[in-house]
Amino acid sequence: MTPTLELASELIRRRSVTPDDAGCQQLLAGRLAKLGFRIEHLRFGEVNNLWARRGAEGPLFGFAGHTDVVPPGPEQRWQSPPFEPTLRNGQLFGRGAADMKGSIAAMVIACEQFLANHDKHQGSIAFLITSDEEGPAIDGTAKVIEHLEKRGEKIDWCLVGEPSCTTQLGDTIKNGRRGSLGGRLLIRGVQGHIAYPRLAQNPIQTALPALTELSAIEWDQGNDFFPPTRFQISNIHAGTGATNVIPGELEVLFNFRFSTEVTDAELRQRVESLLTAHQLEYKMEWVLSGQPFLTPAGELVDAARCAIRKVTGIEPQLSTSGGTSDGRFIAPTGAQVLELGPLNATIHKIDEHVSVKHLQQLSTIYEHVLINLLSSKRAGE
């Protein structure tokens, strides 16, 4: 059992369903304190967060991740209990194995290996760990970054351990994410008997032309890094359950995953202008979950690519696909942010697992990223 596998297993044993950290951060803090990290436990609301830093000088390299996991679902459907780490056919099974306790274990072991050979490294190293990534994401990374900003502490390079790869370890680096803008649209009508439509106003039928138009709009054409912005309806609800009643209101939930070619303010304005043009009586609630961000080619991208080539022999692709991550809270501070982790094929699924070989390789990749950025000897040269 390698140190990375052992630590990943210890983390999986802790039933840390959002926002319960279940002692994961205490375990990590103990390991990091032995390496000379200054430990801060930051609790906001019901959420535990860990900020650990070694060194006081810049540049500051940060590992970021989360100890919380999604619920396991029906546990009887798992081949082995979700919170009992189990090895089968070269794979480590357990909730959080890929998302993202395996990555966190790889980060800590990478740091231990790096410091064993580079105790006098340049700059500083930090860990930002939250237990609120899979949930509302209000009192986690966002609050920690706000706390750090108030005291003038900024991350220069940040590597988030989200599972980023598709078929081979290292095949994909996420160097950005689309923005996410959600909307709750309430369209009012007049309830009445379905046999007397002239005495009522059906909000479903009055809303359909507007919703059809919203679905057909080309919001932008995207760019070299982002696909075009998309409008998607996730839920429509109306009616009392009776078949002979015209409903009095219609609720529509929708979401924009948007590129850097458009702003959330522009999207809001266009949607509301269209609804007004269709003469709908409506109420709109907006939720901005994150702005789009992009880390172009530079020191961090070069360091990650070099490390992946050295360990796996493959050339990684840059991608901004997928959902949101906590990188959206770190990038606005000016940090270069990348997401690099294991394969994402089983995340949030029954029998989530990660390759034991990949865990060790991932730890070595992380170690070489540290070497490339914080030591005078570059790992890829």
Side-chain angles (χ1 to χ4, degrees):
M1 182 171 284
T2 66
T4 306
L5 177 58
E6 183 177 3
L7 180 54
S9 298
E10 289 186 51
L11 291 170
I12 290 171
R13 287 189 185 96
R14 289 160 169 79
R15 195 182 186 94
S16 56
V17 177
T18 311
D20 185 7
D21 174 66
C24 291
Q25 292 175 23
Q26 291 288 347
L27 172 64
L28 299 172
R31 298 283 289 254
L32 294 173
K34 293 178 181 178
L35 299 174
F37 281 79
R38 184 180 70 254
I39 304 299
E40 294 182 68
H41 292 284
L42 303 172
R43 185 172 175 87
F44 301 107
E46 299 300 314
V47 176
N48 290 320
N49 304 284
L50 172 65
W51 174 252
R53 177 167 178 166
R54 187 184 195 273
E57 304 298 323
L60 173 57
F61 175 90
F63 285 115
H66 59 91
T67 50
D68 61 315
V69 298
V70 297
E75 297 195 23
Q76 66 274 15
R77 292 180 55 194
W78 286 69
Q79 295 184 58
S80 52
F83 295 101
E84 290 183 16
T86 304
L87 294 175
R88 288 195 305 274
N89 302 318
Q91 305 288 327
L92 172 63
F93 286 78
R95 176 56 86 220
D99 187 16
M100 58 171 287
K101 291 181 175 181
S103 295
I104 291 177
M107 292 171 176
V108 173
I109 302 306
C111 202
E112 291 177 348
Q113 294 296 321
F114 172 74
L115 293 175
N117 298 304
H118 304 275
D119 183 59
K120 304 299 181 181
H121 61 83
Q122 303 170 14
S124 302
I125 307 172
F127 282 77
L128 194 171
I129 308 296
T130 183
S131 61
D132 187 36
E133 197 275 343
E134 299 288 9
I138 295 173
D139 291 323
T141 300
K143 284 287 179 65
V144 176
I145 289 296
E146 181 181 332
H147 178 78
L148 297 176
E149 286 276 287
K150 286 180 180 178
R151 65 190 194 192
E153 200 166 0
K154 286 184 176 291
I155 300 172
D156 296 288
W157 303 307
C158 184
L159 197 158
V160 185
E162 289 289 349
S164 62
C165 301
T166 53
T167 60
Q168 300 180 73
L169 180 69
D171 63 10
T172 306
I173 299 172
K174 298 290 179 69
N175 67 321
R177 292 280 190 166
R178 293 171 293 174
S180 177
L181 176 65
R184 177 180 179 268
L185 171 62
L186 189 67
I187 299 174
R188 298 184 182 90
V190 177
Q191 183 174 313
H193 196 293
I194 206 162
Y196 301 95
R198 67 185 182 279
L199 301 178
Q201 181 179 337
N202 193 322
I204 300 174
Q205 292 173 203
T206 57
L208 284 177
L211 296 178
T212 300
E213 188 173 343
L214 285 169
S215 300
I217 290 176
E218 183 182 81
W219 303 92
D220 61 48
Q221 295 183 338
N223 54 37
D224 290 342
F225 298 99
F226 292 93
T229 295
R230 301 297 187 191
F231 169 86
Q232 291 292 320
I233 297 172
S234 58
N235 190 277
I236 294 180
H237 176 74
T240 63
T243 61
N244 60 351
V245 177
I246 293 172
E249 61 183 27
L250 168 71
E251 181 186 62
V252 182
L253 302 181
F254 64 87
N255 182 267
F256 283 101
R257 292 301 164 104
F258 63 101
S259 76
T260 50
E261 295 296 307
V262 67
T263 67
D264 66 284
E266 291 170 337
L267 293 173
R268 297 176 203 231
Q269 189 275 327
R270 290 183 68 181
V271 169
E272 293 183 11
S273 294
L274 187 148
L275 295 173
T276 300
H278 280 266
Q279 299 181 331
L280 297 174
E281 184 182 353
Y282 70 91
K283 178 182 178 182
M284 176 68 74
E285 295 176 4
W286 294 101
V287 177
L288 178 64
S289 299
Q291 297 283 4
F293 71 90
L294 179 72
T295 297
E299 303 100 332
L300 184 57
V301 170
D302 291 345
R305 278 178 155 165
C306 181
I308 290 170
R309 283 196 300 267
K310 184 175 180 63
V311 176
T312 69
I314 66 174
E315 182 63 39
Q317 300 297 313
L318 298 179
S319 171
T320 60
S321 65
T324 59
S325 77
D326 275 3
R328 70 191 189 273
F329 304 123
I330 303 168
T333 67
Q336 296 179 34
V337 179
L338 293 183
E339 297 172 26
L340 174 58
L343 273 61
N344 55 26
T346 66
I347 60 174
H348 293 203
K349 292 184 177 181
I350 301 293
D351 290 332
E352 178 182 351
H353 59 271
V354 66
S355 164
V356 173
K357 178 182 177 181
H358 287 176
L359 273 183
Q360 188 55 48
Q361 287 180 313
L362 185 62
S363 185
T364 306
I365 289 171
Y366 290 161
E367 179 185 356
H368 284 299
V369 171
L370 288 170
I371 293 171
N372 288 338
L373 291 172
L374 298 182
S375 77
S376 56
K377 180 182 178 182
R378 297 178 61 85
E381 296 179 350

